[in-house]
PDB file of all heavy atoms in Angstrom:
ATOM      1  N   GLU K  24      16.072   7.170   4.315  1.00  0.00           N
ATOM      2  CA  GLU K  24      17.207   7.845   3.603  1.00  0.00           C
ATOM      3  C   GLU K  24      18.545   7.579   4.344  1.00  0.00           C
ATOM      4  O   GLU K  24      18.573   7.300   5.493  1.00  0.00           O
ATOM      5  CB  GLU K  24      16.885   9.405   3.533  1.00  0.00           C
ATOM      6  CG  GLU K  24      16.133   9.756   2.403  1.00  0.00           C
ATOM      7  CD  GLU K  24      16.759   9.572   0.976  1.00  0.00           C
ATOM      8  OE1 GLU K  24      17.978   9.142   0.993  1.00  0.00           O
ATOM      9  OE2 GLU K  24      16.251   9.992   0.016  1.00  0.00           O
ATOM     10  N   THR K  25      19.588   7.845   3.629  1.00  0.00           N
ATOM     11  CA  THR K  25      20.921   7.813   4.142  1.00  0.00           C
ATOM     12  C   THR K  25      21.106   8.922   5.188  1.00  0.00           C
ATOM     13  O   THR K  25      20.732  10.062   4.934  1.00  0.00           O
ATOM     14  CB  THR K  25      21.873   7.995   3.044  1.00  0.00           C
ATOM     15  OG1 THR K  25      21.705   6.981   2.041  1.00  0.00           O
ATOM     16  CG2 THR K  25      23.362   7.907   3.561  1.00  0.00           C
ATOM     17  N   VAL K  31      20.820  18.139   7.946  1.00  0.00           N
ATOM     18  CA  VAL K  31      20.504  18.848   6.634  1.00  0.00           C
ATOM     19  C   VAL K  31      19.908  17.820   5.610  1.00  0.00           C
ATOM     20  O   VAL K  31      20.321  16.661   5.579  1.00  0.00           O
ATOM     21  CB  VAL K  31      21.941  19.341   6.008  1.00  0.00           C
ATOM     22  CG1 VAL K  31      22.471  20.388   6.846  1.00  0.00           C
ATOM     23  CG2 VAL K  31      23.005  18.142   5.900  1.00  0.00           C
ATOM     24  N   PRO K  32      18.933  18.282   4.936  1.00  0.00           N
ATOM     25  CA  PRO K  32      18.292  17.390   3.958  1.00  0.00           C
ATOM     26  C   PRO K  32      19.168  17.062   2.764  1.00  0.00           C
ATOM     27  O   PRO K  32      19.865  17.882   2.251  1.00  0.00           O
ATOM     28  CB  PRO K  32      17.083  18.223   3.470  1.00  0.00           C
ATOM     29  CG  PRO K  32      17.148  19.519   4.081  1.00  0.00           C
ATOM     30  CD  PRO K  32      18.347  19.632   4.993  1.00  0.00           C
ATOM     31  N   PHE K  33      19.209  15.697   2.515  1.00  0.00           N
ATOM     32  CA  PHE K  33      20.001  15.253   1.427  1.00  0.00           C
ATOM     33  C   PHE K  33      19.342  14.063   0.816  1.00  0.00           C
ATOM     34  O   PHE K  33      19.634  12.900   1.255  1.00  0.00           O
ATOM     35  CB  PHE K  33      21.469  14.953   1.802  1.00  0.00           C
ATOM     36  CG  PHE K  33      22.318  14.679   0.714  1.00  0.00           C
ATOM     37  CD1 PHE K  33      22.810  15.736  -0.166  1.00  0.00           C
ATOM     38  CD2 PHE K  33      22.706  13.394   0.346  1.00  0.00           C
ATOM     39  CE1 PHE K  33      23.610  15.471  -1.290  1.00  0.00           C
ATOM     40  CE2 PHE K  33      23.463  13.159  -0.741  1.00  0.00           C
ATOM     41  CZ  PHE K  33      23.917  14.195  -1.585  1.00  0.00           C
ATOM     42  N   PRO K  34      18.467  14.242  -0.149  1.00  0.00           N
ATOM     43  CA  PRO K  34      17.810  13.167  -0.804  1.00  0.00           C
ATOM     44  C   PRO K  34      18.726  12.300  -1.640  1.00  0.00           C
ATOM     45  O   PRO K  34      19.657  12.880  -2.290  1.00  0.00           O
ATOM     46  CB  PRO K  34      16.734  13.833  -1.680  1.00  0.00           C
ATOM     47  CG  PRO K  34      16.939  15.250  -1.688  1.00  0.00           C
ATOM     48  CD  PRO K  34      18.033  15.562  -0.686  1.00  0.00           C
ATOM     49  N   THR K  35      18.555  11.055  -1.635  1.00  0.00           N
ATOM     50  CA  THR K  35      19.302  10.089  -2.461  1.00  0.00           C
ATOM     51  C   THR K  35      18.392   9.361  -3.421  1.00  0.00           C
ATOM     52  O   THR K  35      17.240   9.681  -3.504  1.00  0.00           O
ATOM     53  CB  THR K  35      20.044   9.049  -1.581  1.00  0.00           C
ATOM     54  OG1 THR K  35      19.158   8.239  -0.938  1.00  0.00           O
ATOM     55  CG2 THR K  35      20.932   9.733  -0.514  1.00  0.00           C
ATOM     56  N   GLU K  36      18.949   8.356  -4.068  1.00  0.00           N
ATOM     57  CA  GLU K  36      18.107   7.586  -4.963  1.00  0.00           C
ATOM     58  C   GLU K  36      16.970   6.794  -4.303  1.00  0.00           C
ATOM     59  O   GLU K  36      16.076   6.405  -4.944  1.00  0.00           O
ATOM     60  CB  GLU K  36      19.035   6.622  -5.788  1.00  0.00           C
ATOM     61  CG  GLU K  36      19.327   5.295  -5.049  1.00  0.00           C
ATOM     62  CD  GLU K  36      20.257   5.464  -3.832  1.00  0.00           C
ATOM     63  OE1 GLU K  36      20.928   6.477  -3.652  1.00  0.00           O
ATOM     64  OE2 GLU K  36      20.452   4.477  -3.140  1.00  0.00           O
ATOM     65  N   LYS K  37      17.000   6.721  -2.981  1.00  0.00           N
ATOM     66  CA  LYS K  37      16.034   5.846  -2.292  1.00  0.00           C
ATOM     67  C   LYS K  37      14.546   6.258  -2.502  1.00  0.00           C
ATOM     68  O   LYS K  37      13.675   5.458  -2.597  1.00  0.00           O
ATOM     69  CB  LYS K  37      16.380   5.768  -0.813  1.00  0.00           C
ATOM     70  CG  LYS K  37      17.653   5.016  -0.575  1.00  0.00           C
ATOM     71  CD  LYS K  37      18.055   5.084   0.912  1.00  0.00           C
ATOM     72  CE  LYS K  37      19.392   4.368   1.126  1.00  0.00           C
ATOM     73  NZ  LYS K  37      20.572   5.063   0.591  1.00  0.00           N
ATOM     74  N   PHE K  38      14.370   7.564  -2.638  1.00  0.00           N
ATOM     75  CA  PHE K  38      12.955   8.021  -2.826  1.00  0.00           C
ATOM     76  C   PHE K  38      12.536   7.800  -4.265  1.00  0.00           C
ATOM     77  O   PHE K  38      11.384   7.833  -4.605  1.00  0.00           O
ATOM     78  CB  PHE K  38      12.795   9.496  -2.389  1.00  0.00           C
ATOM     79  CG  PHE K  38      13.148  10.531  -3.470  1.00  0.00           C
ATOM     80  CD1 PHE K  38      12.277  11.036  -4.432  1.00  0.00           C
ATOM     81  CD2 PHE K  38      14.478  10.965  -3.530  1.00  0.00           C
ATOM     82  CE1 PHE K  38      12.608  11.929  -5.389  1.00  0.00           C
ATOM     83  CE2 PHE K  38      14.875  11.889  -4.524  1.00  0.00           C
ATOM     84  CZ  PHE K  38      13.939  12.352  -5.401  1.00  0.00           C
ATOM     85  N   ALA K  52      13.824  10.711   7.075  1.00  0.00           N
ATOM     86  CA  ALA K  52      15.040  11.437   6.587  1.00  0.00           C
ATOM     87  C   ALA K  52      15.412  12.565   7.536  1.00  0.00           C
ATOM     88  O   ALA K  52      14.875  12.621   8.657  1.00  0.00           O
ATOM     89  CB  ALA K  52      14.714  11.940   5.129  1.00  0.00           C
ATOM     90  N   GLN K  53      16.188  13.391   7.012  1.00  0.00           N
ATOM     91  CA  GLN K  53      16.605  14.588   7.770  1.00  0.00           C
ATOM     92  C   GLN K  53      15.478  15.601   7.984  1.00  0.00           C
ATOM     93  O   GLN K  53      14.603  15.618   7.114  1.00  0.00           O
ATOM     94  CB  GLN K  53      17.775  15.245   7.146  1.00  0.00           C
ATOM     95  CG  GLN K  53      18.961  14.318   6.783  1.00  0.00           C
ATOM     96  CD  GLN K  53      18.765  13.533   5.501  1.00  0.00           C
ATOM     97  OE1 GLN K  53      17.887  13.793   4.686  1.00  0.00           O
ATOM     98  NE2 GLN K  53      19.621  12.557   5.296  1.00  0.00           N
ATOM     99  N   TYR K  56      13.370  17.605   4.926  1.00  0.00           N
ATOM    100  CA  TYR K  56      13.473  16.726   3.742  1.00  0.00           C
ATOM    101  C   TYR K  56      12.384  17.049   2.742  1.00  0.00           C
ATOM    102  O   TYR K  56      12.679  17.195   1.581  1.00  0.00           O
ATOM    103  CB  TYR K  56      13.572  15.349   4.153  1.00  0.00           C
ATOM    104  CG  TYR K  56      13.701  14.379   3.106  1.00  0.00           C
ATOM    105  CD1 TYR K  56      14.926  14.016   2.543  1.00  0.00           C
ATOM    106  CD2 TYR K  56      12.532  13.513   2.652  1.00  0.00           C
ATOM    107  CE1 TYR K  56      15.033  13.022   1.536  1.00  0.00           C
ATOM    108  CE2 TYR K  56      12.715  12.537   1.682  1.00  0.00           C
ATOM    109  CZ  TYR K  56      13.921  12.368   1.148  1.00  0.00           C
ATOM    110  OH  TYR K  56      14.006  11.361   0.166  1.00  0.00           O
ATOM    111  N   PHE K  59      12.466  20.412   1.256  1.00  0.00           N
ATOM    112  CA  PHE K  59      13.516  20.498   0.270  1.00  0.00           C
ATOM    113  C   PHE K  59      13.114  19.824  -1.090  1.00  0.00           C
ATOM    114  O   PHE K  59      13.326  20.392  -2.148  1.00  0.00           O
ATOM    115  CB  PHE K  59      14.829  19.751   0.850  1.00  0.00           C
ATOM    116  CG  PHE K  59      16.027  19.834  -0.094  1.00  0.00           C
ATOM    117  CD1 PHE K  59      16.878  20.819   0.074  1.00  0.00           C
ATOM    118  CD2 PHE K  59      16.215  18.842  -1.016  1.00  0.00           C
ATOM    119  CE1 PHE K  59      17.947  20.958  -0.749  1.00  0.00           C
ATOM    120  CE2 PHE K  59      17.328  18.883  -1.813  1.00  0.00           C
ATOM    121  CZ  PHE K  59      18.194  19.989  -1.714  1.00  0.00           C
ATOM    122  N   LEU K  60      12.445  18.661  -0.936  1.00  0.00           N
ATOM    123  CA  LEU K  60      11.956  17.973  -2.103  1.00  0.00           C
ATOM    124  C   LEU K  60      11.076  18.909  -2.938  1.00  0.00           C
ATOM    125  O   LEU K  60      11.133  18.961  -4.166  1.00  0.00           O
ATOM    126  CB  LEU K  60      11.304  16.653  -1.832  1.00  0.00           C
ATOM    127  CG  LEU K  60      12.196  15.522  -1.371  1.00  0.00           C
ATOM    128  CD1 LEU K  60      11.357  14.270  -0.999  1.00  0.00           C
ATOM    129  CD2 LEU K  60      13.172  15.102  -2.472  1.00  0.00           C
ATOM    130  N   LEU K  64      13.317  20.564  -5.708  1.00  0.00           N
ATOM    131  CA  LEU K  64      13.287  19.446  -6.698  1.00  0.00           C
ATOM    132  C   LEU K  64      11.896  19.239  -7.370  1.00  0.00           C
ATOM    133  O   LEU K  64      11.713  18.465  -8.271  1.00  0.00           O
ATOM    134  CB  LEU K  64      13.871  18.174  -6.114  1.00  0.00           C
ATOM    135  CG  LEU K  64      15.216  18.179  -5.566  1.00  0.00           C
ATOM    136  CD1 LEU K  64      15.653  16.815  -4.979  1.00  0.00           C
ATOM    137  CD2 LEU K  64      16.210  18.677  -6.560  1.00  0.00           C
ATOM    138  N   TRP K 131      18.069  19.742  -9.814  1.00  0.00           N
ATOM    139  CA  TRP K 131      19.228  19.444  -8.954  1.00  0.00           C
ATOM    140  C   TRP K 131      20.389  20.295  -9.311  1.00  0.00           C
ATOM    141  O   TRP K 131      21.026  20.936  -8.477  1.00  0.00           O
ATOM    142  CB  TRP K 131      19.614  17.915  -9.192  1.00  0.00           C
ATOM    143  CG  TRP K 131      20.670  17.400  -8.217  1.00  0.00           C
ATOM    144  CD1 TRP K 131      21.993  17.578  -8.308  1.00  0.00           C
ATOM    145  CD2 TRP K 131      20.411  16.689  -7.042  1.00  0.00           C
ATOM    146  NE1 TRP K 131      22.658  17.055  -7.337  1.00  0.00           N
ATOM    147  CE2 TRP K 131      21.743  16.462  -6.446  1.00  0.00           C
ATOM    148  CE3 TRP K 131      19.338  16.203  -6.397  1.00  0.00           C
ATOM    149  CZ2 TRP K 131      21.897  15.717  -5.283  1.00  0.00           C
ATOM    150  CZ3 TRP K 131      19.540  15.491  -5.170  1.00  0.00           C
ATOM    151  CH2 TRP K 131      20.777  15.268  -4.707  1.00  0.00           C
ATOM    152  N   ILE K 138      22.993  22.005  -2.627  1.00  0.00           N
ATOM    153  CA  ILE K 138      23.189  20.471  -2.473  1.00  0.00           C
ATOM    154  C   ILE K 138      24.569  20.183  -2.069  1.00  0.00           C
ATOM    155  O   ILE K 138      24.763  19.366  -1.186  1.00  0.00           O
ATOM    156  CB  ILE K 138      22.619  19.817  -3.765  1.00  0.00           C
ATOM    157  CG1 ILE K 138      21.181  20.003  -3.887  1.00  0.00           C
ATOM    158  CG2 ILE K 138      23.050  18.336  -3.691  1.00  0.00           C
ATOM    159  CD1 ILE K 138      20.617  19.609  -5.256  1.00  0.00           C
ATOM    160  N   ASN K 141      24.998  21.037   1.558  1.00  0.00           N
ATOM    161  CA  ASN K 141      24.383  19.998   2.341  1.00  0.00           C
ATOM    162  C   ASN K 141      25.324  18.713   2.420  1.00  0.00           C
ATOM    163  O   ASN K 141      25.461  18.168   3.481  1.00  0.00           O
ATOM    164  CB  ASN K 141      23.017  19.638   1.819  1.00  0.00           C
ATOM    165  CG  ASN K 141      21.982  20.685   2.159  1.00  0.00           C
ATOM    166  OD1 ASN K 141      22.299  21.735   2.736  1.00  0.00           O
ATOM    167  ND2 ASN K 141      20.779  20.434   1.797  1.00  0.00           N
ATOM    168  N   LEU K 145      27.087  16.981   5.662  1.00  0.00           N
ATOM    169  CA  LEU K 145      27.016  15.529   5.965  1.00  0.00           C
ATOM    170  C   LEU K 145      28.344  14.987   6.150  1.00  0.00           C
ATOM    171  O   LEU K 145      28.456  14.073   7.096  1.00  0.00           O
ATOM    172  CB  LEU K 145      26.225  14.825   4.807  1.00  0.00           C
ATOM    173  CG  LEU K 145      24.771  14.987   4.819  1.00  0.00           C
ATOM    174  CD1 LEU K 145      24.210  14.270   3.557  1.00  0.00           C
ATOM    175  CD2 LEU K 145      24.036  14.400   6.029  1.00  0.00           C
TER     176      LEU K 145
END
Side-chain angles (χ1 to χ4, degrees):
E24 272 291 3
T25 303
V31 293
F33 189 75
T35 67
E36 81 290 349
K37 291 175 183 69
F38 83 91
Q53 306 84 10
Y56 178 81
F59 185 90
L60 286 177
L64 301 180
W131 187 280
I138 292 167
N141 285 2
L145 284 174

